[in-house]
Amino acid sequence: MLCLCLYVPLLGQEQAEFEYFESKGLPAELKSIFRLSLFIPSQEFSTYRQWKQKIVKAGDKDLDGQLDFEEFVHYLQDHEKKLRLVFKSLDKKNDGRIDAQEIVQSLRDLGVKISEQQAEKILKSMDKNGTMTIDWNEWRDYHLLHPVENIPEIILYWKHSTIFDVGENLTVPDEFTVEERQTGMWWRHLVAGGGAGAVSRTCTAPLDRLKVLMQVHASRSNNMCIIGGFTQMIREGGPRSLWRGNGINVLKIAPESAIKFMAYEQIKRFIGTDQEMLRIHERLLAGSLAGAIAQSSIYPMEVLKTRMALRKTGQYSGMLDCAKNILSKEGMAAFYKGYIPNMLGIIPYAGIDLAVYETLKNAWLQRYAVNSADPGVFVLLACGTISSTCGQLASYPLALVRTRMQAQASVEGAPEVTMRGLFKHILKTEGAFGLYRGLAPNFMKVIPAVSISYVVYENLKMTLGVQSR
């Protein structure tokens, strides 16, 4: 057993020993080491106790409340790699040292303005030899046992945000730094993301409508293919019919984004975290709840989008006419058909999307990050595309059932069924494959949707005066 003990001198008493943490499972070659001791003044013991809680929380992989030797070594290796990336990003002159001017410039790039005197105070806290510069050893020794959870460079480059718009409404909301919220940059990011989503959804609308048609009408007896589906849509309503339902799909971006962002910020405060950026499980919890609140608020628009996409030529004169028709014939409850499977789909989509993105990000950092944490546009788009695709794959059966429930009254003679009844019916008549009708056009739109939304997002940011990350 490896113990790190603190000897705290107390006034008028002999020094007292406090066990700091224990590490079980010590490798055989280190069994001769049984105790590491550290002498600290008593007034600093509370600081070290807080440090213990943070480092155990950051490194405890098996959640047993303590660090074993392997967890501690893994934490140090991972943390040192991140620290080196940040050190290199701060070292603007590439001379292996950080001075006050480089700190001022780096923080200014992140939107934080400090004076050179304030930067010198930061330097003094880490500078051991009085040179008023920090070399790698001083930087590492100061930060290595301080669990830095929000390393700015990695956060800014790797932010999984609204730029990856694939037309789904189950994503976790964007996060913004304190500076972005204080300077009003957050709403510019939301506007840029909303505009990018509108263009992206419009460009991929034919594939989205084809997906809805295949989800509702395709079966073993009606094996609708991609080319056949497009031919059928054009023959029935002309080329313009390919964009049916796109108007309401674009209109719901703004209210959903606003509600989701506001709910997300309030839930973060309710969680009570003191971190500027949430950890992944906290982000999943807050994001899922915020998504559920936003979806509950705009869900009638989801039903309208499905009905408009499935309508025949001349059936409705517009969105308002469609809404009036549903209200008069089916009542208010029709606007919430498919609500339960839609809510259930939020957790697998958001959870897998976040988990896959974080896994791909960490794999890239471990393998390829040497001098910078900047992955480049291609890596970001690839990670966003793969993670979103995995999230959709996991939640797709629920999305299909939701769409069929939304469309029930639009299909003549279709009986009213529950979510469970619909699952049973599909499995009985079509097999497991039936739960994935329309998956091909859904996946076909992911890459163009992500690419288009990224390009438009970057251009809108420049127009709105948002500094590039």
Side-chain angles (χ1 to χ4, degrees):
M1 179 179 291
L2 177 65
C3 294
L4 176 60
C5 299
L6 304 180
Y7 292 86
V8 184
L10 303 175
L11 292 176
Q13 302 179 32
E14 295 183 358
Q15 59 192 21
E17 178 183 335
F18 293 86
E19 184 182 281
Y20 192 52
F21 70 82
E22 294 183 354
S23 181
K24 295 181 179 179
L26 192 64
E29 61 271 17
L30 293 178
K31 283 185 177 178
S32 60
I33 303 176
F34 63 93
R35 175 166 293 174
L36 300 176
S37 298
L38 179 67
F39 290 87
I40 63 168
S42 56
Q43 63 268 25
E44 294 183 11
F45 181 64
S46 61
T47 302
Y48 276 83
R49 179 173 286 165
Q50 293 172 0
W51 176 86
K52 172 190 174 181
Q53 294 171 348
K54 287 184 177 181
I55 197 171
V56 170
K57 191 173 184 180
D60 185 15
K61 302 299 182 184
D62 55 13
L63 303 177
D64 62 354
Q66 60 182 349
L67 291 180
D68 59 31
F69 187 80
E70 289 76 14
E71 287 175 333
F72 185 62
V73 171
H74 181 271
Y75 164 77
L76 292 179
Q77 291 174 339
D78 183 60
H79 197 58
E80 183 172 343
K81 186 177 184 68
K82 293 178 182 179
L83 289 175
R84 184 173 286 279
L85 289 173
V86 179
F87 181 83
K88 287 183 176 292
S89 71
L90 293 173
D91 184 14
K92 304 293 184 183
K93 300 174 185 175
N94 294 319
D95 58 358
R97 292 182 174 276
I98 301 172
D99 58 29
Q101 291 180 343
E102 287 172 320
I103 291 179
V104 171
Q105 181 60 48
S106 296
L107 291 177
R108 185 176 293 130
D109 292 342
L110 296 175
V112 182
K113 294 182 180 180
I114 66 169
S115 65
E116 194 160 330
Q117 289 74 21
Q118 290 172 313
E120 288 175 356
K121 287 183 179 180
I122 296 174
L123 280 177
K124 287 179 181 178
S125 66
M126 291 178 269
D127 182 24
K128 293 181 178 180
N129 52 20
T131 61
M132 288 307 293
T133 60
I134 309 167
D135 60 23
W136 161 242
N137 290 329
E138 290 173 321
W139 173 267
R140 180 195 59 202
D141 293 346
Y142 181 83
H143 288 289
L144 191 56
L145 294 180
H146 290 71
V148 182
E149 298 178 16
N150 299 315
I151 298 177
E153 183 190 16
I154 295 175
I155 288 174
L156 293 180
Y157 282 129
W158 283 102
K159 197 167 154 185
H160 186 23
S161 67
T162 53
I163 63 172
F164 303 118
D165 190 306
V166 292
E168 299 297 323
N169 307 289
L170 312 177
T171 52
V172 171
D174 208 346
E175 284 192 67
F176 299 100
T177 62
V178 172
E179 291 72 33
E180 286 172 327
R181 291 197 292 269
Q182 290 176 345
T183 58
M185 283 295 172
W186 64 270
W187 71 263
R188 291 183 174 89
H189 281 286
L190 286 182
V191 170
V199 174
S200 171
R201 294 183 188 195
T202 300
C203 291
T204 58
L207 286 168
D208 192 62
R209 187 182 179 220
L210 177 62
K211 177 195 74 173
V212 173
L213 286 174
M214 293 177 73
Q215 285 178 331
V216 175
H217 296 299
S219 62
R220 282 179 176 172
S221 58
N222 179 25
N223 192 16
M224 185 185 296
C225 64
I226 293 173
I227 296 176
F230 278 124
T231 303
Q232 180 180 323
M233 285 190 289
I234 294 172
R235 187 185 296 123
E236 193 276 331
R240 286 186 61 185
S241 68
L242 298 176
W243 277 267
R244 283 180 185 168
N246 183 60
I248 192 75
N249 197 29
V250 169
L251 280 176
K252 64 187 176 69
I253 293 176
E256 187 196 15
S257 298
I259 295 169
K260 189 184 289 187
F261 171 72
M262 290 186 290
Y264 188 60
E265 290 300 308
Q266 292 301 317
I267 293 168
K268 281 172 64 176
R269 294 190 184 96
F270 180 77
I271 290 175
T273 179
D274 59 353
Q275 300 297 327
E276 184 177 312
M277 298 292 177
L278 299 182
R279 290 181 291 274
I280 185 169
H281 65 279
E282 293 173 332
R283 195 174 183 211
L284 174 60
L285 173 62
S288 298
L289 291 174
I293 292 169
Q295 282 282 290
S296 299
S297 303
I298 61 97
Y299 193 76
M301 299 178 77
E302 290 281 349
V303 176
L304 277 176
K305 177 240 178 182
T306 300
R307 295 292 182 92
M308 292 293 288
L310 293 169
R311 80 184 191 274
K312 296 178 181 178
T313 302
Q315 186 175 356
Y316 307 117
S317 60
M319 285 181 279
L320 288 177
D321 183 48
C322 179
K324 289 178 181 178
N325 191 278
I326 295 172
L327 187 61
S328 62
K329 291 184 178 180
E330 304 171 56
M332 192 65 193
F335 288 104
Y336 284 89
K337 286 183 177 178
Y339 176 79
I340 293 176
N342 187 73
M343 292 297 106
L344 293 177
I346 291 175
I347 296 175
Y349 182 96
I352 292 176
D353 186 20
L354 273 179
V356 172
Y357 190 84
E358 288 293 314
T359 301
L360 293 174
K361 175 188 77 172
N362 291 332
W364 189 93
L365 286 171
Q366 291 294 329
R367 185 177 290 254
Y368 299 109
V370 179
N371 296 321
S372 174
D374 182 3
V377 173
F378 177 77
V379 175
L380 281 177
L381 293 181
C383 290
T385 301
I386 295 170
S387 63
S388 177
T389 301
C390 292
Q392 290 186 71
L393 186 63
S395 63
Y396 194 83
L398 286 164
L400 181 137
V401 169
R402 174 203 65 193
T403 304
R404 288 203 180 181
M405 292 179 73
Q406 290 173 342
Q408 277 178 2
S410 68
V411 181
E412 292 184 9
E416 291 283 336
V417 293
T418 62
M419 179 183 71
R420 180 182 294 181
L422 199 49
F423 265 115
K424 288 181 178 179
H425 176 74
I426 294 171
L427 289 172
K428 182 179 179 180
T429 58
E430 304 177 49
F433 180 77
L435 294 172
Y436 290 89
R437 299 282 182 190
L439 187 64
N442 189 62
F443 280 175
M444 285 172 64
K445 73 174 185 173
V446 171
I447 294 178
V450 169
S451 303
I452 292 167
S453 60
Y454 181 85
V455 172
V456 176
Y457 179 78
E458 290 298 315
N459 282 278
L460 284 176
K461 278 205 311 180
M462 293 174 60
T463 303
L464 295 169
V466 179
Q467 292 182 349
S468 180
R469 295 185 182 281

